[in-house]
Amino acid sequence: MSEHPSAAFARALVAALVERGVEDYVLSPGSRSGPLAHALAEAGAPNPPLGAPKVDLHVRIDERSAGFLALGIARGRAATGDPRPVAIVTTSGTAVGNLMPAVMEAHHSGVPLLLLTADRPAELRGVGSNQTTDQVGLFGAFVRWQADVPAAALGEHPDRATALADRAVAAALGDRAREDMAAAPGPVHVNVAFREPLGADGGVWADPPRLPTPTGGIPIVVPGDEPAPLPPVARGVVIAGDGAGDVAREVAEAHGWPLLAEPTSLARSGSHCIPDYVRLLESPQGEDLAARVHQVLVIGRPTLTRPVQALIRRAPALIVARFGARWREAPHHAQAVLRDVPATWLWSAAPDDADPAWLAEWRSGGGRVHAPEGWGPRVVAAAFADSLTPETWGFVGSSGPVRSLDRLMPAAPAGRAPMLLANRGLAGIDGTLSTAAGVAFGSRRIVHALMGDVTFLHEAGGLLIGPREERPRLRIVVVNDGGGTIFSGLEHSAAPPENLERVFTTPHGAELAAICAGYRVPHTPVRSRTELAAALAAPVTGLEVIEALV
Ligand SMILES: Cc1ncc(C[n+]2csc(CCOP(=O)(O)OP(=O)(O)O)c2C)c(N)n1
Ligand SMILES: [Mg+2]
């Protein structure tokens, strides 16, 4: 039996990637990517053949969903403290273009992805071959690195696959020691030409060449001098945006400042957290407090509310840290923009600098959230927030749901904010189901996902999981208010109602129960608090949908 060059190269590439920590693969079917598909079918089987590495393989028909699934797996992995790039395999042509939304989100949120897209070899490009286009450079500025890999030749040395895997994984993980944007984690595009034959060759898995250096991520180093401790101002405020982490709470507590923490900051906890900050900032008392702020410290990337953006805009002194992959795009009037939170920020301020009255004023105005009454989107969001535990993680879609959570989630006991993730890089409503499914796989946790009806319908195809595929332990809670109601609260609401409906809120009349039935996904409609509480209390066994009709 003779080895095919394309198949041998695909095996060598997979083996080299696994050796560098890439264990999760999402694949969409196609012929040109066949060599990688055959290799992954073997490595992803319950009992891989002798010498083959073991991988977690997920197969999805729609490449757009596949891209978001990979993004979610990478988010889940990173949230468990084990960041690794997740690979996506597609065939050539429009299949590749379908990855763009997930790539854009990954670029802006700094999530490592490895796009392995198949292509025709050089002699078949630019001559009218079927399903062949200009894939090289397709993702432009949204990828950290890209390579166009020529088709493998017979008897080629496996070193080429090793070198390629080395660079791709390093570029995707980023280099925290470097200062430029290209050094943040993010997507990498490896376009691989495969020459026929593309079928399975029954070839053996060779040991990949040994690595000269140990594998794994690049150590985190704070460049240059350690920044000085924070100026000990009396009236500071800490704003924790998406991805800030618990460190934002620690900084606020060390300085005696109020903490305004968005739900996906993972810092919404402790005695200094002001959970009702949005309502407070909208009130006269909050306006007065905002006007007396000396210094604003932004950790992570806040995106949810206008009063917080206003507080940042008018800050007399502003310091920004940990803005994710977008730290270079931080507000221009910031005195300092840092990749990470320096250890010196955790040093306690001298006691006489702290002003206990300052924190007390914020606490009296916004220290407690008030539970929503009756039945509606806020009640659903509150019950969803309550359902999160250390074992049950949360994912929240864009639009109304994340803003509801921002208004009603209480502050958890210090350091115990629930794990709640979201695609806040670009705040799209696309790919939400698949990203949430990916988080369940990547974290190996149960995930509860909260999203609006339009968001659900945008990627209803994310419910499509074949009978041979592992199903995520994912409970999707859809707030069905019959369209994108966020728009009726914005400046567009002054338009004639029929125009507002047709071109903004887009009521759809879709029957979610029938959609779920079509995908054979269990669906539970709920119309009251009691029904919702019962549905949320049942154990999660696989993929299911709770539709809250509000
Ligand atoms: C890919 C993408 N397209 C369009 C938008 C603009 N957009 C933001 S919210 C929204 C409607 C969301 O409706 P729904 O999910 O029902 O949530 P609700 O507003 O009702 O809370 C739209 C279309 C977006 N964020 N992302
Ligand atoms: Mg809606």
Side-chain angles (χ1 to χ4, degrees):
M1 175 176 12
S2 70
E3 269 199 347
H4 298 163
S6 293
F9 182 73
R11 279 191 294 272
L13 184 57
V14 169
L17 287 172
V18 175
E19 201 175 57
R20 282 153 189 77
V22 183
E23 294 176 350
D24 305 288
Y25 293 77
V26 183
L27 171 141
S28 297
S31 182
R32 188 56 56 172
S33 47
L36 281 169
H38 291 299
L40 288 171
E42 292 188 3
N47 297 305
L50 196 69
K54 180 119 189 65
V55 304
D56 276 345
L57 174 66
H58 301 275
V59 180
R60 293 294 184 275
I61 292 172
D62 181 336
E63 289 82 4
R64 184 180 63 141
S65 294
F68 278 107
L69 183 68
L71 176 82
I73 297 173
R75 280 196 185 285
R77 281 270 197 185
T80 58
D82 181 24
R84 288 159 188 253
V86 175
I88 308 155
V89 176
T90 75
T91 190
S92 59
T94 54
V96 184
N98 276 291
L99 300 179
M100 184 60 106
V103 169
M104 292 167 77
E105 173 64 28
H107 163 66
H108 283 286
S109 340
V111 176
L113 294 182
L114 209 55
L115 321 175
L116 304 175
T117 62
D119 204 345
R120 297 282 188 285
E123 66 272 18
L124 295 180
R125 295 188 195 174
V127 293
S129 304
N130 179 39
Q131 215 177 315
T132 305
T133 183
D134 292 324
Q135 289 174 203
V136 180
L138 184 70
F139 298 101
F142 296 111
V143 286
R144 301 290 183 268
W145 185 70
Q146 60 135 348
D148 186 27
V149 182
L154 202 63
E156 190 178 74
H157 198 271
D159 261 2
R160 192 161 72 98
T162 311
L164 179 65
D166 247 353
R167 285 198 164 197
V169 170
L173 286 176
D175 179 351
R176 302 290 308 242
R178 276 173 45 198
E179 279 288 309
D180 53 314
M181 173 83 167
V188 161
H189 182 197
V190 177
N191 192 59
V192 193
F194 287 116
R195 193 173 282 123
E196 291 165 28
L198 305 171
D201 63 352
V204 295
W205 287 81
D207 278 343
R210 287 286 122 208
L211 295 170
T213 49
T215 56
I218 292 160
I220 296 174
V221 183
V222 178
D225 297 328
E226 186 80 338
L230 284 169
V233 302
R235 298 203 291 273
V237 169
V238 178
I239 296 173
D242 184 58
D246 189 46
V247 71
R249 173 189 63 83
E250 294 177 326
V251 173
E253 290 177 3
H255 295 267
W257 295 334
L259 168 66
L260 316 183
E262 291 190 350
T264 63
S265 66
L266 312 181
R268 202 169 168 119
S269 73
S271 54
H272 290 53
C273 179
I274 311 297
D276 202 21
Y277 72 100
V278 180
R279 200 196 44 75
L280 175 62
L281 286 174
E282 287 167 348
S283 74
Q285 188 193 357
E287 276 172 33
D288 171 59
L289 283 168
R292 287 155 51 211
V293 169
H294 286 150
Q295 175 174 281
V296 172
L297 202 62
V298 175
I299 303 179
R301 191 164 153 260
T303 56
L304 295 182
T305 59
R306 294 183 182 185
V308 162
Q309 297 306 326
L311 191 57
I312 294 171
R313 226 177 11 254
R314 60 193 272 197
L318 176 69
I319 302 181
V320 176
R322 227 186 218 189
F323 218 57
R326 304 185 63 159
W327 64 282
R328 290 296 289 271
E329 300 168 26
H332 291 299
H333 62 295
Q335 275 82 15
V337 179
L338 304 163
R339 279 282 294 267
D340 218 328
V341 175
T344 50
W345 286 15
L346 298 178
W347 299 352
S348 290
D352 41 319
D353 294 322
D355 175 3
W358 176 241
L359 180 63
E361 275 188 75
W362 283 85
R363 271 209 196 114
S364 81
R368 291 194 49 215
V369 287
H370 304 277
E373 294 179 359
W375 174 240
R378 297 246 170 110
V379 173
V380 180
F384 166 84
D386 273 351
S387 75
L388 304 182
T389 67
E391 292 75 41
T392 301
W393 286 12
F395 191 86
V396 61
S398 299
S399 200
V402 68
R403 292 184 171 79
S404 295
L405 291 178
D406 199 19
R407 284 179 179 270
L408 53 76
M409 257 172 77
R416 307 251 300 275
M419 183 58 82
L420 185 62
L421 303 175
N423 283 338
R424 295 309 302 169
L426 286 177
I429 59 166
D430 46 351
T432 309
L433 272 76
S434 290
T435 312
V439 171
F441 289 128
S443 66
R444 299 176 205 288
R445 300 285 198 299
I446 291 170
V447 169
H448 284 183
L450 180 71
M451 66 190 74
D453 49 321
V454 175
T455 302
F456 175 84
L457 291 167
H458 202 292
E459 201 219 355
L463 296 175
L464 183 61
I465 303 180
R468 286 180 183 275
E469 298 306 308
E470 187 190 343
R471 295 179 89 72
R473 291 183 298 161
L474 172 64
R475 168 174 283 159
I476 298 169
V477 181
V478 184
V479 182
N480 191 355
D481 52 9
T485 47
I486 191 167
F487 296 115
S488 34
L490 301 180
E491 53 268 57
H492 310 293
S493 60
E498 64 278 15
N499 290 1
L500 178 70
E501 271 203 11
R502 180 157 188 222
V503 299
F504 288 103
T505 46
T506 57
H508 41 78
E511 199 185 320
L512 270 55
I515 291 171
C516 291
Y519 289 109
R520 301 183 192 286
V521 170
H523 167 274
T524 310
V526 296
R527 292 181 179 78
S528 70
R529 282 171 175 258
T530 340
E531 285 178 15
L532 176 63
L536 282 173
V540 178
T541 51
L543 176 60
E544 59 165 82
V545 172
I546 295 176
E547 180 187 5
L549 295 136
V550 297

